[in-house]
Amino acid sequence: MDKKRVDIRNVAKEAGVSIATVSRVLNNTEKVRESTRKKVLESVEKLGYRQNAIAKSLRSKTTQYIGIIVPEIEHEYFTIIAKWIENLLQQYDYGVFIVSIEGNNDKAIWYTKLFLDHAVQGIVSLVDNADVIKLIQKAGIPLVIADRIEKVEDLGHVSYVGSDNAEGGKIAGFEMARRKVNKIAIMRDKREILNVNERVEGILSALNDSGYQKGNIRILNTKIDREYISEVLNKNYEQWPFDGLICTSDYIALTAMASLLHRGLKIPEDVQVIGYDGIPSVNYFYPTLSTVTQDLQAMGEKIGQIMHKMLLNSSYTEYCKIPVEFVKGGSIL
């Protein structure tokens, strides 16, 4: 028999029982004699029958799926967090759908509507989009926002998991100040994203407390694009040669380091560099990157745990910040 065409009627015929009996066995809705249950399951195995999950979800208006929205799937930071969310939720028999919006807000809204149309049980959003939040809240399903968020206190029934970005920024600032560098460039994502803004504010606070004047600090705004980062770095270095560079992400820092080395500069002798995030790639670059690390596994697992609690208890919410720490690499003296 063509397994692609096997349906519940084929199973019933093979087992010598009614379609209703097969349905009761598969859905475990009513008691069935053990001998009958065994016969049905043996027929299911023999024929390779699979329940139509889409049809089942349409009947019950529920699924066993969670949607995850990330800004860029190619960015190691987001893929690692998504991996640990998926690992945790799988323990509770939930599968995940992961979508990347590539910085496109319209795409974020489109995917959110698609998730809702397909009855996902909850959504994890790593993008900061008010329209997405409103759509999910209106649908009345659990929402966990990770890493990027505005005005947490105004969100209502929403959970949040992030790191202590302001503290992390201060750590980076003080660590660079300890190296007695003269001119410090702060390279940041040019978008007005709360976690980036908090990191920059923390860096500036630490540098100010360490006695640095405005004339010795410059903020370089960049897109999250390798060529753009290199262009911004080279243009500014030619105009204002700096000997310290703090970046608001490891992705920016690693790209900037490659550009500095390409210019013939030595790291850390000519320019000392500090990143932020703690992605595994920092260990495979030479010199290794000094960075403010977030425990991405802990963040992903915490997101998954909170989502599970919200699924079990519709009134449950949690606001959580994951601690950060500094890990010294070869990019600073």
Side-chain angles (χ1 to χ4, degrees):
M1 184 179 294
D2 185 352
K3 290 186 178 182
K4 292 182 179 179
R5 298 184 181 180
V6 172
D7 60 24
I8 195 170
R9 291 171 295 183
N10 302 124
V11 175
K13 183 177 180 181
E14 176 71 25
V17 299
S18 68
I19 292 174
T21 298
V22 175
S23 179
R24 286 197 294 272
V25 171
L26 296 178
N27 294 308
N28 200 28
T29 54
E30 297 179 31
K31 289 186 177 180
V32 178
R33 281 190 300 179
E34 189 55 37
S35 58
T36 301
R37 180 182 299 279
K38 183 178 179 181
K39 189 186 300 182
V40 169
L41 294 178
E42 286 175 349
S43 298
V44 167
E45 181 69 23
K46 178 180 178 180
L47 299 177
Y49 171 73
R50 297 284 296 173
Q51 281 185 286
N52 188 327
I54 296 175
K56 184 179 179 181
S57 68
L58 288 173
R59 291 193 298 270
S60 65
K61 296 183 180 180
T62 62
T63 65
Q64 284 292 107
Y65 299 111
I66 304 298
I68 302 177
I69 306 173
V70 301
E72 300 102 9
I73 198 67
E74 67 178 16
H75 197 307
E76 188 177 4
Y77 173 79
F78 299 112
T79 57
I80 292 171
I81 293 176
K83 165 192 170 181
W84 291 110
I85 296 172
E86 187 272 335
N87 282 355
L88 192 287
L89 288 173
Q90 188 184 35
Q91 297 176 28
Y92 300 111
D93 296 324
Y94 282 93
V96 303
F97 292 126
I98 304 172
V99 297
S100 172
I101 66 164
E102 299 168 346
N104 187 320
N105 286 336
D106 291 337
K107 195 173 182 181
I109 294 169
W110 186 85
Y111 269 125
T112 301
K113 290 179 178 178
L114 188 68
F115 280 157
L116 297 176
D117 288 344
H118 285 76
V120 296
Q121 292 301 284
I123 294 177
V124 175
S125 177
L126 278 78
V127 302
D128 183 18
N129 186 305
D131 292 326
V132 166
I133 293 171
K134 289 176 183 177
L135 281 170
I136 300 169
Q137 287 181 312
K138 189 175 181 180
I141 64 172
L143 167 61
V144 181
I145 300 178
D147 188 53
R148 301 177 176 187
I149 196 169
E150 290 282 0
K151 296 182 179 178
V152 178
E153 66 277 8
D154 297 335
L155 285 172
H157 193 72
V158 173
S159 291
Y160 169 77
V161 179
S163 69
D164 195 339
N165 293 294
E167 180 61 23
K170 288 181 181 179
I171 290 171
F174 282 125
E175 287 292 339
M176 187 62 79
R178 287 176 54 201
R179 269 71 196 179
K180 307 298 183 183
V181 298
N182 182 35
K183 294 180 179 179
I184 299 177
I186 302 169
M187 202 166 198
R188 59 159 294 165
D189 187 328
K190 67 187 299 182
R191 294 171 294 179
E192 288 297 318
I193 302 171
L194 183 62
N195 63 345
V196 175
N197 291 343
E198 288 179 340
R199 292 174 190 182
V200 173
E201 288 169 6
I203 295 167
L204 292 173
S205 174
L207 295 180
N208 180 65
D209 290 346
S210 300
Y212 280 85
Q213 303 299 312
K214 288 185 178 180
N216 294 94
I217 303 169
R218 180 173 289 191
I219 296 178
L220 315 182
N221 294 299
T222 183
K223 294 179 182 178
I224 306 303
D225 173 84
R226 288 186 177 89
E227 291 185 6
Y228 198 97
I229 292 169
S230 296
E231 182 181 338
V232 170
L233 181 134
N234 286 319
K235 181 180 178 180
N236 280 276
Y237 188 84
E238 288 171 5
Q239 298 172 353
W240 193 75
F242 47 84
D243 55 346
L245 175 64
I246 305 176
C247 301
T248 57
S249 78
D250 289 341
Y251 181 90
I252 295 174
L254 292 174
T255 305
M257 284 173 65
S259 297
L260 291 169
L261 292 170
H262 186 71
R263 290 183 65 91
L265 296 168
K266 294 180 181 180
I267 300 172
E269 291 84 356
D270 296 323
V271 182
Q272 300 189 59
V273 183
I274 293 176
Y276 197 115
D277 281 337
I279 60 176
S281 295
V282 303
N283 299 307
Y284 305 114
F285 198 93
Y286 184 81
T288 55
L289 177 65
S290 301
T291 184
V292 177
T293 66
Q294 305 176 90
D295 190 334
L296 302 185
Q297 178 177 344
M299 185 178 290
E301 290 181 341
K302 185 64 176 179
I303 292 166
Q305 290 165 0
I306 291 175
M307 174 57 71
H308 183 241
K309 290 178 180 178
M310 293 181 76
L311 291 166
L312 294 176
N313 181 352
S314 60
S315 64
Y316 184 86
T317 59
E318 185 173 342
Y319 176 78
C320 174
K321 279 191 176 183
I322 305 296
V324 295
E325 64 177 346
F326 183 73
V327 176
K328 184 182 181 301
S331 64
I332 59 174
L333 294 170

